[in-house]
Amino acid sequence: MRTPNGSPIRREAYRPLAYGVETVDLDFVLEAQATLVTNRMRCVRNPDSDAGPIVLLGDGLTLVSVRIDGAEPAPGQLRETGSGLEIDVNADSVVVEIVTRIDPSANLTLSGLYRSRGGYYTQCEAEGFRRITYFPDRPDVMARYTVRLEADAALCPVLLSNGNLLETGSLPNGRHFARWEDPFPKPSYLFALVAADLKALERRVTTMSGREVLLQVWVEARDLDRVDHAMESLIHSMRWDEETFGLELDLDRFMIVAVSDFNMGAMENKGLNIFNTKYVLANPQSGTDVDYENVESVVAHEYFHNWTGNRVTCRDWFQLTLKEGLTVFRDQQFSADMLARASDSPAAAASARAVTRIANVRVLRSAQFPEDAGPMAHPIRPDSYQEINNFYTATVYEKGSEVIRMLHTLLGKEGFRNGMDLYFSYHDGQAVTCDDFVGCMAEANGADLDLFMRWYSQAGTPRLKAEGVFDAADGSYTLTLSQRTPPTPGQADKLPLHIPVAVGLIGADGKDLPLQLEGEARAGDSTRILELKEASKSWRFTGLAAEPVPSILRGFSAPVILEVDENDARLAFRMAHDSDPFNRWDAAQRYMERVILALAADAAAGRQLEVPQAFGHAFRALLVNESLDPAFLAEILALPAETYLLECMPQADPAPLRAALMHLMRELGHAMQADFLDRYLDLEVDGDYRYHPADAGKRALRNLCLRYLTAWGGATAIDLAQKQFEHAGNMTERYGALAALVQSDAPARFDALAAFHEQYKDDALVLDKWFLLQASAWRWSEAAPATLEQVRALMDNPAFSLSNPNKVYSLLGGYFRGNAAEFHRPDGAGYAFWVEQVRALNKSNPQVASRMARALEGWRKFTPEIQARIRAVFETLAKDEGLSPDVAEIVGKALA
Ligand code: B3K
Ligand code: ZN
């Protein structure tokens, strides 16, 4: 039914269809094993396309009947093709009625119509709709939908679909129905239905134009005490989009539905967002501050898609970043604004914004940089793919968002808003391309963005080199910026990109110097955006009394790897003084990275490990600095992600890296015991839990202090962690204490894990944390049980199931992606286990299987011994018959 393995779909092959669809009337008779779908669509000739048949796509459907304008098809008029049906017609407009039968109970892929905990749910993006009915299932076919649902009234009392409810009613035999109408034309990937036993939290709010709208968050009855935060987040998102972009909710009703079995985070179906429970449910007893943050940002993300994705959608799936990069940028801005709003001074607001930015960049560096350096490297707008589901990537999303952010930086807030306004005025209701979007940004600002478009076509992480020369004779400082992007698969030669580089110069007193660029009248700014468009360019700053310390790429103004020659003293200086909080954090990260990589080299060579004193001083100066916001401190004192550090090693070697990380944490915990303890005791948050940035920041820093203390492992530390675990008033504290115990070699960790399991064994989301923690745990002593054996044992826990993605992501993902040193054990047992699990998942849920398979795709960065072992398991897998296109693409590219 699909494109055979190995024959990719190309962006350049795009052609509009001969026939589109104007209206669709769907009728679902929902039965567990045999759901009948009647699809009546008005197909209309596309005047802009060449002549041709009506082309319908279908996957795994049982065809019951077809009628064309009410009649049986004439002989030869209807053909079954490998991917669906083709119908020859002469008329400009015909009504095609197709009846199909599907088996939602047998659908474990969680794409199309499937069952979860007794209910029926759909997931159609990217190509799930063709698993429900025959349809031109591509995003450039936008149609108006009506939907009738019929199901057992006792089992599925709630029947939902997109848009507005027209009618409900009872039927014989205990059944009932509902009819829905979506007034907005939409692509099929935004279709959704839900039929289940759910309850809703409801709120009525008034939009900026004065319309009253109904908001609902639907969950199982037992979860109703966990939905307030999702509802609050939805209301905040609505207000933010009105205030920031003048964009209003366009429907009378907006629904969020939570489902336990879901492949990714959530889905922006028109008016009926379907969410993984993980991103809806949170109360103080079950969710951590991080869960609260995630719920807020995913609710916002899906809500923002209503304009950036639904009202204006993608012409084809190569344009995915058009909606995803832009919507990620919007949700990141929203999160930063929410944090800043809760701050009580401009400085606090800047620090709060930096905390969001740091979180964004951590994700980029630990997930996107490795992707861009591996066999799956692709531009944010790929040129080809074998399986589109493999391209919902960190590159399309996170780097895509960085590209939008650069436009925002280059054009300014107002210029960006003008571009957005123009985009909606031209393209509302259309399926468009990334060129259309950037074209609007250029037109609205009179800007030339031709060169900027290279960000859409060039893969790989650019290296930005900064070199400065101070001339004491004339008080000038010449800064030379140069760029180069290493080759990526299929793209050997790279061209210069248009890179905005935010630069500041710091004086010896630690204060920013006013910037005066040679030949420019304007002066005085402390940060300037330099636009690098060529391979290399120099800028001359004048009027300087002494050599400044440059602070380059402030706010992480471009998704690049900055190469700058800074000695330890300079990093410590910026760690203490950089006025740009992001760069201050980054200086600390760079310093830590340097220290950790040196320790890892020593560990690999069997040398004694020693943490440089100067680093300890710089670290401690921050730890005891009470003028810094705790949330920011929690970021600046946390080590860089292991996945990112592996990328930074000349030859990635997980074991010595892990030894280095453990050594550093232990040593810092030991040397600064008293300071960690003081801060720990100071940071206690009194009163009832509230999700507030100030409280969350304190809890984050407090838990981090505890982590350093238990890493060292003195009796006081373990006792503190146990007390916090026992007396915690909320999940952030309880889980923080459990994590601190598990990340130590204290025997108390086993009791804590058992107690946690006992308390939450019926709470799926909390248990996911328990699985994750054990799968990703470091081994602090040789005596500790091997992680792999524990992971295997945990698979037998009654709460674990390979068919629930959250469980797989926690336990298997936690091991494959979150525990490099244990997964890459020298005996290869981790890889054998990986082959087993990828094979099992490949049969039931290819999307999840592919995600797990990707854990090893970056194998070429490792030492030759590790490479040889991983290559062998990829080769084993490659010989399997029946690999899904999803997994086959990953394996094929990994070996190419
Ligand atoms: N658009 C969905 C992702 C769909 C993934 C399909 N494999 C969620 C989001 O980005 O908002
Ligand atoms: Zn999205």
Side-chain angles (χ1 to χ4, degrees), residues 123 125-126 264 266-268 301-302 305 323-324 389 392 397 847:
Q123 169 56 36
E125 189 177 2
M264 58 289 160
M267 177 63 212
E268 70 264 25
H301 180 98
E302 306 311 328
H305 266 315
K323 74 178 178 81
E324 296 304 347
N389 286 318
Y392 286 75
Y397 277 65
Q847 285 186 44

Side-chain angles (χ1 to χ4, degrees), residues 642-643 646 654-655 657-658 661-662 742-743 771-780 785-791 809-825 830-831 855-856 862:
E642 206 172 21
T643 43
L646 282 170
L657 176 60
R658 179 66 60 82
L661 289 166
M662 292 202 286
V742 169
Q743 293 291 13
F771 282 117
L772 173 67
L773 204 48
Q774 296 175 82
S776 54
W778 297 0
R779 283 175 76 216
W780 293 80
T787 313
L788 174 58
E789 279 62 47
Q790 284 191 297
V791 170
Y809 299 151
S810 297
L811 186 61
L812 304 184
Y815 182 61
F816 299 144
R817 296 177 164 278
N819 206 345
E822 295 300 316
F823 177 36
H824 296 274
R825 37 190 268 180
Y831 308 142
L856 281 179
F862 290 102

Side-chain angles (χ1 to χ4, degrees), residues 567-582:
N567 60 20
D568 291 356
R570 197 172 254 199
L571 284 174
F573 177 81
R574 288 206 300 113
M575 223 167 129
H577 300 294
D578 204 318
S579 72
D580 181 66
F582 176 86

